[in-house]
Amino acid sequence: MNSDTALLTDHYELTMLSAALRDGTADRQCVFEVFARRLPLGRRYGVVAGTGRVVERLSEFTFSPEIVDWLLARQVVDEQTADWLRSYRFRGDIDGYAEGELYFPNSPILTVSGTFAECVVLETFVLSVLNHDCAVASAAARMVTAARGRPLIEMGSRRTHEESAVAAARAAYLAGFASTSNLAAGRRYGIPTAGTAAHAFTLLHDDEKAAFASQIDTFSKDTTLLVDTYDISQGIRNAIAVAGPDLGAIRIDSGDLSVLAQQSRDLLDELGATDTRIIVSGDLDEYAIASLAAEPVDAYGAGTAVVVGSGAPTAGMVYKLVEVDGQPVVKRSENKATVGGRKTAVRRHKPTGTATQEIIVPQGTAEPQPHDRALQRPYVRGGEPVADLPTLTESRELLRRNLISIPWEGLKLSQGEPAIPVTCVPAKETP
Amino acid sequence: MNSDTALLTDHYELTMLSAALRDGTADRQCVFEVFARRLPLGRRYGVVAGTGRVVERLSEFTFSPEIVDWLLARQVVDEQTADWLRSYRFRGDIDGYAEGELYFPNSPILTVSGTFAECVVLETFVLSVLNHDCAVASAAARMVTAARGRPLIEMGSRRTHEESAVAAARAAYLAGFASTSNLAAGRRYGIPTAGTAAHAFTLLHDDEKAAFASQIDTFSKDTTLLVDTYDISQGIRNAIAVAGPDLGAIRIDSGDLSVLAQQSRDLLDELGATDTRIIVSGDLDEYAIASLAAEPVDAYGAGTAVVVGSGAPTAGMVYKLVEVDGQPVVKRSENKATVGGRKTAVRRHKPTGTATQEIIVPQGTAEPQPHDRALQRPYVRGGEPVADLPTLTESRELLRRNLISIPWEGLKLSQGEPAIPVTCVPAKETP
């Protein structure tokens, strides 16, 4: 089957398109903004991720003859719309917060502008990517903070859809994870990959020592031996007996990790393996990682909690029409106070560099102060990605700097308010 | 970039493979079983989904020359392993619970057998598919129960990764949803798709009536008009003024849906639109759906809660080595009492057809009773899918029948015990 990227779309995008083409509104110039009305319960910041993936796949977002025929046969679209889809490619502009930027309630993290027709069909795809990747990056960043400089390995691929796994590895790396278990993420994005052995490898062999000897024979004694298949203390003794005191690392994947880490360190030291590192894994989330801060742990493997956003598996981003032919528009309904019109976002800082607030104003009305930083940058112009898109490494570095810039309370894992307040200045009422 | 299905895999699967090829254990005959140690908190059953997707993609799970070169260059594998991967395709057997079957703690929902080498490399991919699809189907089935026969439309694509969205639509349909908004799911799996318009369509137009008139002009008055962009009562009046009393349906996407459904029904009836249906959407989960049971609602749109498994976004399935060269093997660790050896699962019933328990015994030791039903069926033989795999429609029907067969308490939404007990009979100790 040929690529169906353009069908990663809600049916109603194409019915709206059909009606708009028929009534002549399809060519109205529109601005759509992507934002989250709130952060997940008690979270203090969100991390922008996925924009690079949106831009990277934009060129695939076209309707092949086979797909148009299918849409016609299924009566999703009429002939006029089918003709339009056959020549569709996005020719508008996209601006947004860079990946690695922090976001808060109502931050306009992506702005898509062009005709109604060309922008509306992107809605579902854009939201799918951003809702997933922002959710993972936001959770992962908290784990990186909790790990206090110790490396984290992302190993959650098996806990999420096979393709989400690749995107999750990318988002976690962006958030500061050191590596991933996911090979496709290694190949597609150049992320370092890591992995040694599972319990099955030990069970396959006649005994634990035979498994360890095989692994060392293949990967040298710099490898990581998984010591908790049977008895952990005996596992450590077997590991050092086979590898000698220069063994690279042991991994513990079960049990009370804080107790086991200290016991394992003591035993390794007693056996002369004072440089052998201890890697722990097994249902670690940011809280479990934080609780191990005082223990002799050298690296963490985190799986489930990363890929499912640690309790917030979707970021709640929406894609809202805010402007038609230069006029602000806004849905009026309870509890959804949305400001119409295209907006500019800046982050204000103290002279020391500490962020104090995010200011969202109607485009063209910003009154810059000396330590303001513009948060939006061009991503696409006339349908083509701009030349100097940030690399994943640059996004990673941007996030690192951003997390230093917010008030320290913003890094607390406990529930609280957004790290900085967001001031939305509404547009003047249009008559 | 060529297909990289075989890289949707954890790094350690290939390091284990390398060591096993080198030490000669790679060819040992192994059995791996997939099961969940527990159901998500308080859930009373799980729904098997995804097995069809595993089998469908199995033929893609090969290592192209480009992928092998990349693995060599990145030193993930050595030359011997690279040679093995170049000619790899799975040649073993897969058995499992049919999609639409219920599962409980320790139900062996998939059994993969073959050499260690050919089975171990499938672990991550198999778990990704099953953990995602079972999580979605299990949540979706509860929503179908809560909806009491009223149709459900799955519209959560935008809340999850773009490819998860397609799999989620499939899982929700399997669970009894009537349709999906996701077009790719429509094309790939033949699932009915649905959708009409978003708030943006109304905002695009000069006023609400113009938007409604356009939609009716394109799709006839049998369409669904979204009436809550501005004022709902006025929206309904506008809808009927434009469409007349034969309007197909209205949709309400915000506000207190129980109050609004009744008010809207009254108003529609007052306007003579007594056959116009009311569709509600907006953050509906199984509890919200159940709370609307007494209201005049004709169909539900459910999004976020379906695609993120309504609080349980991953099913907790593991892929465990249980047998090597005919001998049971088992990891010994606290809190993970796993029974070794390949197992047979049957569901026992009363003569009336009500399920009473699930019995899991070592293969070959089942003592069938008159109303037992075998739960495992062949999926793959010698690497090839068997001929008579169930269709999605058949899986849907199987689930429907299964949900009738469990004791009625099993359908309660409240937290409780598994609907039926699972009895695991351990294998006799091997010397």
Side-chain angles (χ1 to χ4, degrees):
Chain A
M1 184 176 290
N2 55 302
S3 158
D4 62 358
T5 303
L7 289 186
L8 300 172
T9 297
D10 285 329
H11 187 123
Y12 80 0
E13 314 292 4
L14 299 190
T15 49
M16 287 192 276
L17 171 67
S18 299
L21 285 170
R22 192 173 171 118
D23 74 17
T25 56
D27 288 332
R28 292 189 175 179
Q29 287 295 312
C30 289
V31 179
F32 287 84
E33 284 178 352
V34 175
F35 58 93
R37 292 199 174 87
R38 64 194 74 85
L39 297 175
L41 182 66
R43 290 277 183 91
R44 295 164 188 259
Y45 62 85
V47 174
V48 176
T51 324
R53 291 212 301 121
V54 168
V55 174
E56 173 185 300
R57 295 193 66 178
L58 198 57
S59 66
E60 296 168 28
F61 204 98
T62 56
F63 295 82
S64 66
E66 294 79 11
I67 283 179
V68 173
D69 289 347
W70 180 81
L71 290 167
L72 275 170
R74 286 285 287 252
Q75 296 181 295
V76 178
V77 300
D78 55 18
E79 281 291 351
Q80 180 187 12
T81 309
D83 282 344
W84 188 92
L85 290 175
R86 284 189 188 98
S87 61
Y88 173 71
R89 70 176 182 85
F90 181 70
R91 293 180 173 83
D93 296 341
I94 299 178
D95 297 78
Y97 286 35
E99 291 191 282
E101 207 55 90
L102 303 182
Y103 72 83
F104 303 98
N106 299 308
S107 296
I109 70 159
L110 201 78
T111 306
V112 180
S113 52
T115 65
F116 176 78
E118 70 186 343
C119 296
V120 77
V121 297
L122 295 180
E123 175 178 23
T124 311
F125 172 70
V126 166
L127 286 178
S128 289
V129 174
L130 295 176
N131 270 321
H132 175 267
D133 291 13
C134 290
V136 174
S138 299
R142 285 159 56 87
M143 295 178 201
V144 172
T145 297
R148 302 191 181 189
R150 292 172 178 170
L152 284 152
I153 309 164
E154 186 282 305
M155 42 175 72
S157 293
R158 65 189 56 197
R159 303 298 184 193
T160 189
H161 182 280
E162 64 273 21
E163 279 294 331
S164 308
V166 187
R170 180 184 184 278
Y173 184 68
L174 192 160
F177 272 55
S179 56
T180 177
S181 65
N182 190 285
L183 290 169
R187 181 156 179 252
R188 294 189 204 169
Y189 302 116
I191 300 170
T193 61
T196 47
H199 299 113
F201 187 74
T202 299
L203 294 173
L204 171 70
H205 287 79
D206 297 336
D207 58 43
E208 197 174 43
K209 279 188 176 177
F212 290 170
S214 167
Q215 198 180 319
I216 286 162
D217 185 46
T218 309
F219 297 106
S220 88
K221 58 191 170 188
D222 200 35
T223 192
T224 300
L225 296 176
L226 179 62
V227 294
D228 68 341
T229 304
Y230 304 111
D231 175 83
I232 295 182
S233 295
Q234 188 58 49
I236 291 173
R237 289 179 193 282
N238 286 343
I240 301 304
V242 172
D246 297 332
L247 174 65
I250 62 164
R251 178 162 75 97
I252 308 170
D253 186 51
S254 54
D256 181 334
L257 295 176
S258 31
V259 172
L260 293 174
Q262 188 60 60
Q263 286 179 351
S264 299
R265 182 74 271 157
D266 291 345
L267 179 55
L268 285 169
D269 289 350
E270 183 190 315
L271 297 169
T274 52
D275 290 335
T276 300
R277 288 169 303 124
I278 298 176
I279 302 172
V280 297
S281 59
D283 291 330
L284 294 179
D285 61 11
E286 61 269 48
Y287 306 106
I289 292 167
S291 77
L292 291 166
E295 307 306 333
V297 167
D298 297 283
Y300 302 96
T304 309
V306 191
V307 300
V308 303
S310 198
T314 183
M317 294 285 167
V318 294
Y319 183 97
K320 289 294 168 191
L321 178 61
V322 296
E323 198 172 292
V324 178
D325 285 341
Q327 295 298 314
V329 295
V330 62
K331 172 177 182 294
R332 297 277 176 219
S333 70
E334 298 171 278
N335 305 325
K336 290 183 180 176
T338 304
V339 178
R342 183 182 184 129
K343 289 169 277 296
T344 298
V346 299
R347 196 161 297 150
R348 191 147 290 171
H349 301 80
K350 293 184 191 172
T352 56
T354 303
T356 57
Q357 61 176 323
E358 184 158 314
I359 300 172
I360 301 170
V361 298
Q363 193 180 36
T365 67
E367 296 171 359
Q369 295 193 6
H371 303 285
D372 282 1
R373 185 164 65 82
L375 292 169
Q376 293 150 311
R377 56 154 293 145
Y379 268 98
V380 171
R381 283 292 171 268
E384 295 297 331
V386 300
D388 60 336
L389 290 176
T391 65
L392 198 51
T393 305
E394 289 165 352
S395 301
R396 199 172 140 92
E397 174 58 17
L398 175 64
L399 175 60
R400 203 187 59 77
R401 282 187 278 113
N402 267 312
L403 288 175
I404 293 170
S405 78
I406 55 173
W408 70 268
E409 296 91 346
L411 296 179
K412 287 167 76 172
L413 298 181
S414 58
Q415 292 188 9
E417 297 302 312
I420 55 171
V422 177
T423 307
C424 294
V425 182
K428 290 192 182 65
E429 284 292 313
T430 49
Chain B
M1 184 175 288
N2 55 300
S3 158
D4 62 359
T5 303
L7 289 186
L8 300 171
T9 298
D10 286 327
H11 187 124
Y12 81 179
E13 314 292 4
L14 299 192
T15 49
M16 286 190 278
L17 172 66
S18 298
L21 285 170
R22 192 173 170 118
D23 74 17
T25 56
D27 288 332
R28 292 187 175 180
Q29 287 296 311
C30 287
V31 178
F32 287 84
E33 283 180 352
V34 175
F35 58 93
R37 292 199 174 86
R38 65 194 74 84
L39 296 175
L41 182 66
R43 291 277 184 88
R44 294 162 189 259
Y45 63 86
V47 174
V48 175
T51 323
R53 291 212 303 117
V54 167
V55 173
E56 175 186 300
R57 294 193 69 176
L58 198 58
S59 66
E60 298 169 28
F61 204 99
T62 56
F63 295 82
S64 67
E66 295 78 9
I67 283 180
V68 173
D69 289 348
W70 180 81
L71 290 168
L72 274 171
R74 286 283 289 252
Q75 297 182 295
V76 177
V77 299
D78 56 17
E79 281 291 351
Q80 180 189 12
T81 310
D83 281 344
W84 188 92
L85 291 175
R86 283 190 190 95
S87 62
Y88 173 72
R89 71 176 183 83
F90 180 70
R91 293 181 173 84
D93 295 343
I94 299 179
D95 296 79
Y97 286 35
E99 292 191 281
E101 207 54 89
L102 304 182
Y103 71 83
F104 302 96
N106 299 308
S107 295
I109 69 160
L110 202 77
T111 305
V112 180
S113 52
T115 65
F116 176 78
E118 70 185 343
C119 295
V120 77
V121 298
L122 295 180
E123 175 178 25
T124 311
F125 172 70
V126 166
L127 286 178
S128 290
V129 174
L130 295 177
N131 270 320
H132 175 268
D133 291 13
C134 290
V136 173
S138 299
R142 286 159 55 87
M143 295 179 201
V144 172
T145 297
R148 300 187 181 195
R150 292 171 178 171
L152 284 152
I153 309 164
E154 186 281 306
M155 40 175 73
S157 293
R158 64 190 55 199
R159 303 298 185 193
T160 189
H161 182 281
E162 64 273 23
E163 281 293 333
S164 308
V166 187
R170 180 184 184 278
Y173 184 68
L174 191 159
F177 273 53
S179 57
T180 177
S181 65
N182 190 284
L183 290 170
R187 182 155 180 255
R188 295 189 202 169
Y189 302 115
I191 300 170
T193 61
T196 48
H199 300 112
F201 187 75
T202 299
L203 295 172
L204 170 71
H205 287 80
D206 298 336
D207 57 41
E208 197 173 45
K209 279 188 177 176
F212 290 171
S214 167
Q215 197 180 321
I216 287 162
D217 185 45
T218 308
F219 298 105
S220 89
K221 56 190 173 190
D222 200 36
T223 191
T224 301
L225 296 176
L226 179 63
V227 294
D228 68 341
T229 304
Y230 306 110
D231 175 82
I232 293 182
S233 293
Q234 190 56 50
I236 292 172
R237 289 180 193 282
N238 287 342
I240 302 303
V242 172
D246 297 332
L247 173 65
I250 61 164
R251 178 162 76 97
I252 310 171
D253 186 51
S254 53
D256 181 334
L257 295 175
S258 30
V259 172
L260 292 173
Q262 188 59 60
Q263 286 178 352
S264 300
R265 181 75 271 157
D266 291 346
L267 180 55
L268 286 168
D269 290 349
E270 183 189 317
L271 296 169
T274 51
D275 290 336
T276 300
R277 287 169 302 125
I278 298 176
I279 301 173
V280 297
S281 58
D283 291 330
L284 294 179
D285 61 12
E286 60 269 49
Y287 307 105
I289 291 167
S291 76
L292 292 165
E295 309 306 334
V297 167
D298 298 284
Y300 302 95
T304 310
V306 191
V307 300
V308 304
S310 197
T314 184
M317 295 285 167
V318 294
Y319 183 96
K320 290 294 169 190
L321 179 61
V322 297
E323 198 170 293
V324 178
D325 284 341
Q327 296 299 314
V329 295
V330 63
K331 172 176 181 295
R332 295 279 175 216
S333 70
E334 297 172 279
N335 305 322
K336 291 183 181 175
T338 304
V339 178
R342 183 181 186 132
K343 287 171 279 293
T344 298
V346 299
R347 198 162 295 150
R348 191 148 290 173
H349 300 80
K350 294 183 190 172
T352 58
T354 302
T356 56
Q357 61 176 323
E358 185 159 313
I359 300 172
I360 302 170
V361 298
Q363 193 181 34
T365 67
E367 295 171 2
Q369 295 193 6
H371 303 285
D372 283 1
R373 186 164 65 81
L375 294 169
Q376 293 150 310
R377 54 155 293 146
Y379 269 97
V380 172
R381 285 290 172 267
E384 295 298 330
V386 299
D388 60 337
L389 290 176
T391 66
L392 198 51
T393 305
E394 289 165 351
S395 302
R396 200 172 141 90
E397 174 58 18
L398 175 63
L399 175 60
R400 202 188 60 76
R401 281 187 279 116
N402 267 311
L403 288 175
I404 293 170
S405 78
I406 56 173
W408 69 270
E409 296 92 344
L411 296 179
K412 288 168 75 173
L413 298 180
S414 59
Q415 293 189 7
E417 298 302 312
I420 55 171
V422 177
T423 307
C424 295
V425 181
K428 291 193 181 66
E429 284 292 314
T430 49

